[in-house]
Amino acid sequence: MNRRYRKTIIAGNWKMNKTPSEARQLIDELKPLISKAKWCEVVLCVPYVDIPVALRALKDSRIAVGAQNMHHEESGAYTGDVSASMLKDLGVKYVIIGHSERRAYYHETDTLVNQKVHLALKTGLRPIVCVGETLEQRDQGVTLDLITVQVKAALSGVSAEKLRQIVFAYEPIWAIGTGRTATSEQAGEVGASIRTTIRKMYGARAARSVTIQYGGSMNAANAHDLLAQLDVDGGLIGGASLKAADFAAIVQAANQ
Ligand code: PGA
């Protein structure tokens, strides 16, 4: 991380875990543990139905609430879906876009990700855009090329002014939920490559202010080393965000 130029952001991604009552409990446990997080922004990306509870529980704290997805159209006949403006109206600040689980299970493409990025920005939500490669792609040596395509596609048509609202999360698919973390060098290398892509599109000054997180089995034990990389400006944390002490320890590592 490099706090001189950009914000460090630690975001929890609860995925499909925690009922509203469990959410309240976890947040009550978490709040006192991370009240001193001055140097980094903390976000909890919770299931849709937990959002009102989370917002209420976090009202007097600096922890922001995020969603894990949103629809790519503003409104309409999309039974079961949730729009960007609904999230904004509730008080949501961030939204995860293009998580690998959504790309894999719901066939979300780079084009759809770009559509969602535009709508999130228009609505005033900060997108956390996920990019990452499979193990097969890593073994084939195409990681950096592939991620460059994902980043370029996500940013297609996005103005330099709006770019500042976007957070990227590099999440190697082989490291998500597997307990197998990328080495800090691997995370740093891809982070640097994402920044180079942004620099080529928007110039050095804009690129240097973008927060680029790492995600994939990040935990209390490896957070410090990962965050020591210049281009790892935070984390998107799944499993370890479901336990108050583990998540707080990661926030602490980012706060040092
Ligand atoms: P993990 O998930 O920390 O459980 O690997 C990260 C993510 O999918 O965002």
Side-chain angles (χ1 to χ4, degrees):
M1 51 192 177
N2 186 342
R3 286 202 200 101
R4 207 151 83 103
Y5 296 121
R6 48 195 174 257
K7 247 191 200 152
T8 303
I9 305 176
I10 300 293
N13 174 12
W14 287 7
K15 309 193 179 183
M16 197 174 72
N17 294 291
K18 304 292 174 190
T19 63
S21 358
E22 290 166 346
R24 170 89 221 195
Q25 232 171 14
L26 176 54
I27 291 171
D28 284 347
E29 267 179 71
L30 198 59
K31 257 171 52 175
L33 299 180
I34 53 182
S35 59
K36 291 197 199 83
K38 281 204 180 65
W39 300 107
C40 73
E41 177 139 349
V42 181
V43 186
L44 298 180
C45 298
V46 304
Y48 290 136
V49 295
D50 293 347
I51 290 173
V53 169
L55 283 164
R56 218 173 308 131
L58 293 168
K59 218 167 150 195
D60 54 351
S61 83
R62 295 174 60 247
I63 303 170
V65 174
Q68 299 171 13
N69 182 36
M70 53 170 257
H71 198 269
H72 60 281
E73 294 289 351
E74 288 190 29
S75 64
Y78 299 103
T79 303
D81 264 307
V82 168
S83 75
S85 58
M86 291 171 190
L87 299 172
K88 177 70 183 174
D89 187 71
L90 276 177
V92 167
K93 205 166 157 196
Y94 289 84
V95 58
I96 298 174
I97 290 180
H99 189 279
S100 62
E101 284 149 20
R102 295 217 56 93
R103 291 182 193 250
Y105 307 144
Y106 304 95
H107 315 295
E108 294 199 3
T109 61
D110 283 340
T111 309
L112 189 84
V113 167
N114 178 246
Q115 257 179 289
K116 291 189 182 194
V117 165
H118 278 281
L119 183 55
L121 292 170
K122 184 179 167 198
T123 313
L125 297 169
R126 293 195 67 183
I128 300 176
V129 180
C130 301
V131 296
E133 81 288 3
T134 61
L135 191 55
E136 199 182 15
Q137 289 161 333
R138 176 157 284 271
D139 290 343
Q140 287 167 346
V142 299
T143 298
L144 298 184
D145 290 336
L146 180 101
I147 285 167
T148 301
V149 169
Q150 291 177 338
V151 170
K152 281 187 175 171
L155 291 175
S156 172
V158 172
S159 68
E161 185 205 325
K162 294 266 181 175
L163 172 75
R164 323 181 80 227
Q165 297 301 318
I166 299 183
V167 175
F168 276 97
Y170 165 52
E171 298 209 309
I173 295 167
W174 47 272
I176 294 178
T178 57
R180 201 181 143 184
T181 324
T183 63
S184 36
E185 289 74 21
Q186 285 170 328
E189 182 194 26
V190 177
S193 164
I194 292 172
R195 201 175 307 286
T196 301
T197 303
I198 300 173
R199 184 165 58 237
K200 286 182 184 154
M201 296 173 78
Y202 296 91
R205 186 190 265 216
R208 142 179 117 189
S209 66
V210 175
T211 297
I212 302 172
Q213 301 173 316
Y214 167 80
S217 301
M218 193 164 179
N219 57 39
N222 59 32
H224 194 270
D225 279 355
L226 286 161
L227 292 166
Q229 294 287 321
L230 212 55
D231 291 299
V232 176
D233 310 308
L236 183 55
I237 294 117
S241 73
L242 297 171
K243 293 195 191 101
D246 292 0
F247 189 64
I250 298 172
V251 172
Q252 172 129 21
N255 220 25
Q256 272 163 10

